[in-house]
Amino acid sequence: MYQTTAIIKKIILLLFPVWFSMQNFSQTTVFDFDWRFHRGGAQGAEMPGFDDSKWRKVDLPHDWSIEDLPGTRSPFDPNAISQVSGGFTVGGTAWYRKTFTIPADQKNKRIHIQFDGVYMNADFWLNGEFLGDHPYGYTSFWFDITDKIKLGEKNTIAVLVKDEGQNSRWYSGSGIYRHVWLKTLEPVHVSPWGIYITTPDANVSSAKVNIKTNVTNATTNALPVKLVTRILNSKGDEVARTESQQQINSKASNEFTQNLSVSSPELWSIESPALYTAITEVYNENRITDKAEIKFGIRTISFDATNGFRLNGKTVKLKGGCVHHDNGPLGSKAYDRAEERRIELLKASGFNAIRCAHNPPSPAFLDACDRLGILVIDEAFDMWRLPNNPYDYHLYFDDWWQKDIESMVMRDRNHPSVIIWSIGNEIREMENPKVIEVARMLGNHIRKLEPTRPITAAVNNLRPQKDSYFATLDVCGYNYAAGGDHKQESLYTQDHNRVPDRIMMGTESYALEAFAAWMGVIDNPFVIGDFVWTAFDYIGEASIGWKGYWQKSNFYPWNLAYCGDIDICGWKRAQSYYRAAIWKENQVSVFVKPPKPSFPLNPDKQSWSKWEWHDVLADWNWPGFENRPLEVSVYSSCDEVELFLNGKSLGKKQTNRDTRFTVTWNVPYHPGSLKVVGYSNGKDVASSQLQTARQISKIKLSADRSTIKADGQDLSYITVELEDANGVRNPKAENLVKFTVQGGTIVGVGNANPVSLESYQLPQRKAWQGRCLAIVKSSVKPGTITVTASVDGLPSSTLLITAAHK
């Protein structure tokens, strides 16, 4: 999505009339602050004279389903309509209203309001006049409100959001959960999402850049328009420039096509995600009327069954993970920093690719992927005409699919991170000719809009009868093709022998089958990657990573899926360490199977339901089990590992593909130190250690960032660890931690306990496995944010964060 000039934050928004009067061409400003919110019905709330003074003030992004239910200290309800799918959270109907003024000197400007995402089925009014609706909760959209704005007077926008009935297979959240933008445009301007940049030919010596720009003339006269485009490199130096002129008729739009060359370009890659900036200026009679800036990457992509996926001519295997859109303790609120942090953590854990499951992500999410170097499968839908739930998008598909596809593609097409478009996930009746025809229709429409990327879809129940469906795709997505006994190799190979030009990838796989899934990728050039379900844990599909299927209402209080490599707080789980062993060199980690299951087991769990990981913990604290043998697992990509208990060697074992990079010992429990050392080529190259903790005596606070922006939206994630006197976290500690904050606001707390019913909003949280998390948001005032954590019987601990304007 293109943004004009810099994003103006709340501190500028408070000076709204001054800001407007200073500008002489199109501008965009964030419209997130000072909304009024009411959970429930409110007859007449669309009218400007409605009294909303008793409604709660909120800033966006906002998600009411993560908030405590009225009269409670929890967002969870065993009677919630969402049940297991939504993690027992509650949707419903709610209203938002915002009153604002646009100065009279903005006469003759076009005024647009853009919503990045509202879940779901929302209706919109301005000054009591109906603007329109938008059913789908995951695509961006806008309204031209020029003819309904009252310049120099108060205006009221009202939004009715209806998250009603069973409409999602996972936690969706509810409300205006992404940014809103107000755009003031000169009559001659770049059309929304009107810039399309491709790099059809690029290497280290030179690159061709093709830029198509759609310019709108909203005046009553035909006008001569000049378009000037400059390209800046990552240092801000101009590396290319061109200009074009056209006559644009009244009330019409024209497309400018410009070709530029860049010498010795920095190619965008996973290792070096260099970004260029295209600055587009629109002139009418030598007066600038619009200026747009687009970040893009210079890179080439290709796909074939012989070389697999190639980025800039080099074969890359996709180390992928599926992610839902929620941000754990924040619910679905898409703060820029929350989206960025997820990408940082995923990349640090070895992922180089993400499948957005099962909907387009926020613009901020893709911006982070561009900056940090993560490849993306951008996915449109979880269903088409046939429902997964009675009130889901199938009700709107026929009327809206084209608009929503165009929103995804036109908004996201300039992101270098996006390499594949996905039209759907596990669509029902894929062998039905009518469904196959829909797949062809969706794919062809995307190819018409954006032909440089291939089309995929995720397919389950794999068998030859799916061939006709697969034939509509460019890259074929295989869900759960792997098997613990290398079944995936025979399946991939069998299909390759039948359809040798088919390009395949594992669009979903079980963590339990990570070894077989990855060997199927590295052994077969026509298999371009694998995407685990899931890379990040999420709310909803409660307990598929423990109780599994079939799901029942008595799964309550489970509310997290409990199947992610990384938990909802951002901490790596055991399966992530195993994945490191199959993806990276010289990795080693050690885990212990608890003497009793971590949670009660489900005797009715189906054999095919395998989204869990082994019940192992990074814990060497088992009082009452002294001298009793415990199973110790070591995950390692070293040549061999050696296990030590309190300094005494328990022997060496080889770790390699033959052992599936895992070895085990039965170790009699004795308090102290359990340490594993990894050796490669005879040298000590890595180690990991578990230490028995004593009674907790202190609180350790650590922030992911000690300096954040004073913009009313930036976040700092603060990890709280309960430690003994030696600085060892006690994984058995579950004390209540209370927080006080000055200079900022706590917007979320969590501990990743999948059965905790605690509030995500209150300034307190019990520790689980010896830690919890607090998420602090800045205000618009620069200064020091002081965060203090206290636990009964322990000295309090304080952390300082600097909030600064940049």
Side-chain angles (χ1 to χ4, degrees), residues 1 67 117 326 332 415 458 506 650 682 768 805:
M1 183 185 74
E67 297 177 344
D326 77 79
S332 62
H415 288 281
L650 302 183
W768 188 60
H805 289 150

Side-chain angles (χ1 to χ4, degrees), residues 561-752:
Y562 203 58
C563 63
D565 274 29
I566 301 172
D567 68 29
I568 66 163
C569 291
W571 302 319
K572 287 164 65 75
R573 298 177 66 227
Q575 66 198 60
S576 180
Y577 290 92
Y578 178 73
R579 198 171 308 282
I582 62 174
W583 278 354
K584 303 178 182 179
E585 295 181 349
N586 297 332
Q587 302 293 305
V588 67
S589 57
V590 57
F591 293 90
V592 179
K593 181 178 181 179
K596 296 181 180 180
S598 294
F599 302 98
L601 299 175
N602 177 13
D604 299 323
K605 181 173 172 288
Q606 301 297 298
S607 60
W608 53 265
S609 179
K610 297 182 287 187
W611 284 277
E612 71 274 11
W613 185 249
H614 306 288
D615 187 12
V616 295
L617 300 170
D619 186 348
W620 197 240
N621 296 264
W622 305 104
F625 291 90
E626 286 78 7
N627 297 313
R628 294 174 61 177
L630 298 178
E631 183 177 289
V632 175
S633 295
V634 173
Y635 309 144
S636 179
S637 55
C638 302
D639 295 341
E640 60 179 358
V641 294
E642 185 174 12
L643 189 66
F644 295 87
L645 177 61
N646 294 325
K648 180 180 178 181
S649 176
L650 302 183
K652 291 183 177 181
K653 295 186 178 183
Q654 291 186 339
T655 49
N656 49 44
R657 181 165 175 164
D658 290 339
T659 70
R660 302 193 174 197
F661 304 101
T662 302
V663 290
T664 61
W665 278 265
N666 285 316
V667 181
Y669 174 65
H670 294 281
S673 169
L674 184 69
K675 182 179 180 179
V676 61
V677 176
Y679 303 93
S680 291
N681 297 319
K683 296 181 179 179
D684 175 349
V685 294
S687 65
S688 181
Q689 179 172 287
L690 303 178
Q691 185 76 35
T692 304
R694 299 177 181 177
Q695 184 176 356
I696 60 170
S697 61
K698 58 183 178 179
I699 306 169
K700 178 183 177 182
L701 301 182
S702 54
D704 69 330
R705 296 184 305 156
S706 59
T707 300
I708 62 177
K709 291 177 286 187
D711 61 4
Q713 298 235 344
D714 206 5
L715 307 176
S716 180
Y717 284 73
I718 299 169
T719 298
V720 182
E721 297 177 279
L722 304 183
E723 298 182 337
D724 67 12
N726 296 320
V728 177
R729 173 168 58 90
N730 189 324
K732 296 294 193 289
E734 296 188 353
N735 306 64
L736 179 66
V737 181
K738 296 183 178 180
F739 302 98
T740 59
V741 179
Q742 295 178 330
T745 306
I746 288 183
V747 290
V749 293
N751 60 14

Side-chain angles (χ1 to χ4, degrees), residues 228-253:
V228 178
T229 299
R230 298 179 292 127
I231 296 178
L232 310 183
N233 64 17
S234 58
K235 298 178 182 178
D237 301 324
E238 183 177 304
V239 295
R241 185 185 188 279
T242 191
E243 61 180 67
S244 308
Q245 296 194 50
Q246 287 190 33
Q247 186 88 355
I248 304 181
N249 291 332
S250 168
K251 306 293 184 180
S253 297

Side-chain angles (χ1 to χ4, degrees), residues 2 23 25 29-30 53 131 177 210 225 240 244 335 381 446 449 457 476 512 522 555 630 636 640 660 696-697 706 790:
Y2 85 87
Q23 309 307 317
F25 57 89
T29 187
V30 73
S53 61
L131 294 174
Y177 68 101
N210 177 270
V225 173
S244 308
Y335 290 105
F381 305 121
I446 292 177
L449 295 170
C476 297
L512 279 177
I522 63 175
F555 283 12
L630 298 178
S636 179
E640 60 179 358
R660 302 193 174 197
I696 60 170
S697 61
S706 59
S790 60

Side-chain angles (χ1 to χ4, degrees), residues 335-604:
Y335 290 105
D336 291 4
R337 173 55 190 163
E339 303 288 63
E340 179 183 61
R341 178 177 180 260
R342 276 201 290 168
I343 305 305
E344 289 177 348
L345 294 171
L346 289 166
K347 188 161 188 182
S349 295
F351 290 95
N352 66 16
I354 289 168
R355 175 179 170 230
C356 297
H358 304 291
N359 47 262
S362 72
F365 186 91
L366 293 181
D367 288 343
C369 292
D370 291 345
R371 289 193 306 271
L372 299 172
I374 287 278
L375 303 168
V376 175
I377 300 174
D378 202 345
E379 190 156 273
F381 305 121
D382 189 48
M383 81 295 296
W384 298 340
R385 290 181 175 140
L386 299 177
N388 289 324
N389 281 285
Y391 297 98
D392 64 22
Y393 183 74
H394 85 280
L395 296 173
Y396 313 102
F397 179 83
D398 280 331
D399 292 332
W400 282 88
W401 72 263
Q402 186 169 337
K403 301 183 190 76
D404 289 322
I405 283 287
E406 289 170 0
S407 171
M408 177 184 78
V409 173
M410 295 183 69
R411 189 197 71 174
D412 297 346
R413 59 188 176 177
N414 293 319
H415 288 281
S417 58
V418 176
I419 59 168
I420 300 174
W421 304 114
S422 172
I423 56 176
N425 171 69
E426 296 185 349
I427 300 301
R428 291 185 180 272
E429 298 187 16
M430 284 178 279
E431 297 167 24
N432 185 324
K434 292 182 179 179
V435 175
I436 294 168
E437 185 54 37
V438 174
R440 185 174 292 109
M441 175 183 71
L442 296 175
N444 287 341
H445 191 59
I446 292 177
R447 293 182 186 100
K448 179 181 176 182
L449 295 170
E450 205 292 295
T452 73
R453 298 171 174 91
I455 308 297
T456 194
V459 177
N460 59 340
N461 298 324
L462 297 158
R463 55 184 187 167
Q465 288 85 342
K466 296 291 196 306
D467 283 354
S468 294
Y469 186 89
F470 275 137
T472 70
L473 309 175
D474 304 309
V475 175
C476 297
Y478 281 48
N479 279 11
Y480 307 106
D485 57 357
H486 290 271
K487 290 179 182 177
Q488 100 293 340
E489 287 188 278
S490 61
L491 178 58
Y492 285 144
T493 302
Q494 287 173 14
D495 281 5
H496 177 66
N497 291 336
R498 290 190 306 106
V499 192
D501 291 334
R502 180 178 292 176
I503 306 163
M504 310 173 198
M505 66 179 169
T507 32
E508 290 182 24
S509 63
Y510 298 116
L512 279 177
E513 296 176 353
F515 172 80
W518 190 242
M519 296 306 107
V521 172
I522 63 175
D523 290 346
N524 298 300
F526 47 87
V527 182
I528 66 173
D530 178 74
F531 291 76
V532 65
W533 191 269
T534 59
F536 230 101
D537 206 19
Y538 56 97
I539 305 170
E541 286 192 289
S543 83
I544 67 165
W546 188 267
K547 287 181 174 292
Y549 274 83
W550 297 105
Q551 297 175 332
K552 300 177 182 179
S553 62
N554 64 10
F555 283 12
Y556 186 85
W558 279 86
N559 51 77
L560 302 183
Y562 203 58
C563 63
D565 274 29
I566 301 172
D567 68 29
I568 66 163
C569 291
W571 302 319
K572 287 164 65 75
R573 298 177 66 227
Q575 66 198 60
S576 180
Y577 290 92
Y578 178 73
R579 198 171 308 282
I582 62 174
W583 278 354
K584 303 178 182 179
E585 295 181 349
N586 297 332
Q587 302 293 305
V588 67
S589 57
V590 57
F591 293 90
V592 179
K593 181 178 181 179
K596 296 181 180 180
S598 294
F599 302 98
L601 299 175
N602 177 13
D604 299 323

